[in-house]
Amino acid sequence: MQILAINPGSTSTKIAVFQDETCLWKEVINHPDQDIRAFAKIGDQYSYRMDTILNTLQEKGCQLEQFSAIVGRGGLLKPLSGGTYLVDEYLVQESHNAPGGEHASNLGAIIAYHLAQRVNIPAYIVDPVAVDEMEPVARLSGHPELPRISLSHALNMKAVARKVARDLGKTYQEVNLVIAHLGGGISVAPHRRGKMIDVNNANNEGPFSPERCGTLPSAQLVKLCYSGKYTEKEMLTGILKEGGMYAYLGTKDAREAERRMNEGDEQARLVLEAMCYQVAKEIGAMSTVLCGEVDRIVLTGGLAHSAFITGEITRRVSFIAPVALIPGEEEMESLALGALRVLRQEEQALIYR
């Protein structure tokens, strides 16, 4: 069976064609700034991006008729359980309405659906950003008007969870893991028997990352908000896009920060060590959610390519459980395998309501 996987990003769209588990080819379609800025809403870009995908398929000698299914990345929907969801008109409308906010990932379902409709095949999304399997006790933040919300790198984390479970000779439903996705945002989540029962929303809390602040001192943050120095938009930009390592060092590139550290920049060393220190603390905290019964700690995402970063984290947490390294992201593979499990009837497609 051949599957077309689609992963829209803010300025590019990744596509890949799989034959069963094997990736035949991948392509990154870059979208010029002026093209993206021409659309008032992200959801309005679907026709433009769909055309670029069709052009790329034509260049590769592919036709929609050869696919058994098309799968897209799921976006900021209402909270839902993990799994593979059939994309129907209702899910497409929800993706347009963007209940969780504007985000390029919302386009995944929309594009997959409209392409699949042309040749009468199913369209799916897999483990969207809005996967919410948190237990009730994990939702309380300390203030009833500020509930903790589950938004995470669920697609990659659940993919590596299944991979680590296979390596242990078990299924995802038979293991307990603490997984840290280390990227532009950092998500740390305990996975208990196939469910992600807690997670730090990387936009709101947890370790600081290359561009996000993570958890901040709340009283000081309130004072800063009312200081008159910043508008609401400037504060949000400072927290979500220009915080973390960038605020301290002026770069979002951890490789650049490491280069500076290796050349003797002590501030760069301090910031990198602090980021690793906070990740290790979050892993330790999430291990208590599993009552210390952890089969593996898993480090994944782009930053897991760094021997320094993984080494700093590992030396602090390896006493809890063995640490597995799965650097990079397996999002395209995760999408294709999620669709394949349904096509093979190993899982049942879920319906979003």
Side-chain angles (χ1 to χ4, degrees):
M1 287 180 279
Q2 288 201 7
I3 297 167
L4 172 64
I6 301 169
N7 185 357
S10 55
T11 60
S12 67
T13 302
K14 297 175 185 174
I15 65 172
V17 170
F18 287 79
Q19 183 159 312
D20 297 326
E21 293 91 345
T22 304
C23 181
L24 301 181
W25 56 265
K26 295 181 182 179
E27 190 77 23
V28 179
I29 306 169
N30 292 304
H31 306 302
D33 232 17
Q34 62 269 23
D35 289 359
I36 296 297
R37 284 202 305 265
F39 299 96
K41 293 173 62 179
I42 291 176
D44 297 336
Q45 298 173 17
Y46 84 89
S47 183
Y48 158 75
R49 294 204 190 210
M50 199 160 64
D51 288 342
T52 65
I53 291 169
L54 288 169
N55 289 338
T56 303
L57 290 173
Q58 188 174 16
E59 290 169 8
K60 296 284 187 179
C62 293
Q63 296 181 331
L64 292 177
E65 288 80 4
Q66 74 190 61
F67 300 116
S68 301
I70 299 176
V71 59
R73 186 182 181 192
L76 301 182
L77 300 162
K78 292 170 185 172
L80 73 175
S81 298
T84 299
Y85 286 79
L86 180 70
V87 182
D88 55 16
E89 288 185 13
Y90 180 77
L91 200 155
V92 170
Q93 192 57 47
E94 281 283 277
S95 299
H96 271 297
N97 293 337
E102 287 277 301
H103 194 270
S105 59
N106 295 336
L107 290 165
I110 301 170
I111 295 171
Y113 178 79
H114 286 290
L115 289 176
Q117 284 290 294
R118 294 188 175 197
V119 287
N120 197 30
I121 58 174
Y124 302 107
I125 58 170
V126 180
D127 292 329
V129 178
V131 164
D132 184 350
E133 298 168 336
M134 287 170 62
E135 297 187 326
V137 71
R139 299 184 188 281
L140 276 65
S141 68
H143 195 291
E145 293 187 48
L146 301 171
R148 296 182 68 233
I149 296 170
S150 176
L151 291 176
S152 69
H153 301 86
L155 180 63
N156 189 53
M157 287 200 290
K158 281 183 170 281
V160 299
R162 292 185 181 97
K163 187 171 187 177
V164 170
R166 281 197 303 273
D167 291 344
L168 293 173
K170 298 181 179 181
T171 67
Y172 179 35
Q173 288 71 28
E174 295 174 319
V175 295
N176 286 347
L177 308 169
V178 176
I179 302 180
H181 178 100
L182 312 174
I186 293 175
S187 298
V188 182
H191 294 241
R192 186 180 67 199
R193 303 290 187 259
K195 296 287 185 184
M196 189 169 65
I197 59 173
D198 198 349
V199 67
N200 67 288
N201 177 345
N203 289 341
N204 288 342
E205 58 187 35
F208 76 75
S209 70
E211 63 180 20
R212 301 181 200 175
C213 289
T215 301
L216 293 171
S218 54
Q220 292 170 243
L221 178 62
V222 170
K223 287 183 178 179
L224 189 60
C225 288
Y226 286 92
S227 67
K229 292 172 64 177
Y230 305 103
T231 64
E232 179 186 359
K233 184 177 180 181
E234 288 169 339
M235 283 298 302
L236 288 171
T237 298
I239 289 171
L240 300 177
K241 296 180 180 178
E242 296 177 358
M245 185 178 73
Y246 178 80
Y248 289 112
L249 300 179
T251 181
K252 300 180 183 182
D253 188 339
R255 294 167 299 183
E256 166 68 12
E258 272 197 61
R259 183 189 64 76
R260 285 158 56 174
M261 176 188 74
N262 292 332
E263 291 176 355
D265 186 331
E266 289 304 313
Q267 176 68 359
R269 175 177 292 277
L270 178 63
V271 171
L272 283 170
E273 287 180 347
M275 184 170 69
C276 297
Y277 171 84
Q278 290 196 4
V279 172
K281 274 207 304 184
E282 195 75 12
I283 290 171
M286 292 304 186
S287 298
T288 70
V289 174
L290 299 172
C291 300
E293 297 177 2
V294 184
D295 294 305
R296 286 290 186 277
I297 293 166
V298 186
L299 306 182
T300 186
L303 296 182
H305 285 290
S306 164
F308 175 80
I309 289 173
T310 56
E312 282 293 295
I313 296 169
T314 299
R315 74 181 180 89
R316 293 185 182 275
V317 303
S318 59
F319 74 95
I320 300 169
V323 179
L325 303 182
I326 305 183
E329 296 181 357
E330 301 193 5
E331 291 184 340
M332 304 308 286
E333 291 81 359
S334 310
L335 292 172
L337 292 176
L340 194 59
R341 287 192 295 273
V342 170
L343 292 173
R344 289 176 170 171
Q345 299 183 342
E346 296 169 0
E347 288 182 15
Q348 188 171 353
L350 303 172
I351 304 297
Y352 173 80
R353 289 290 180 267

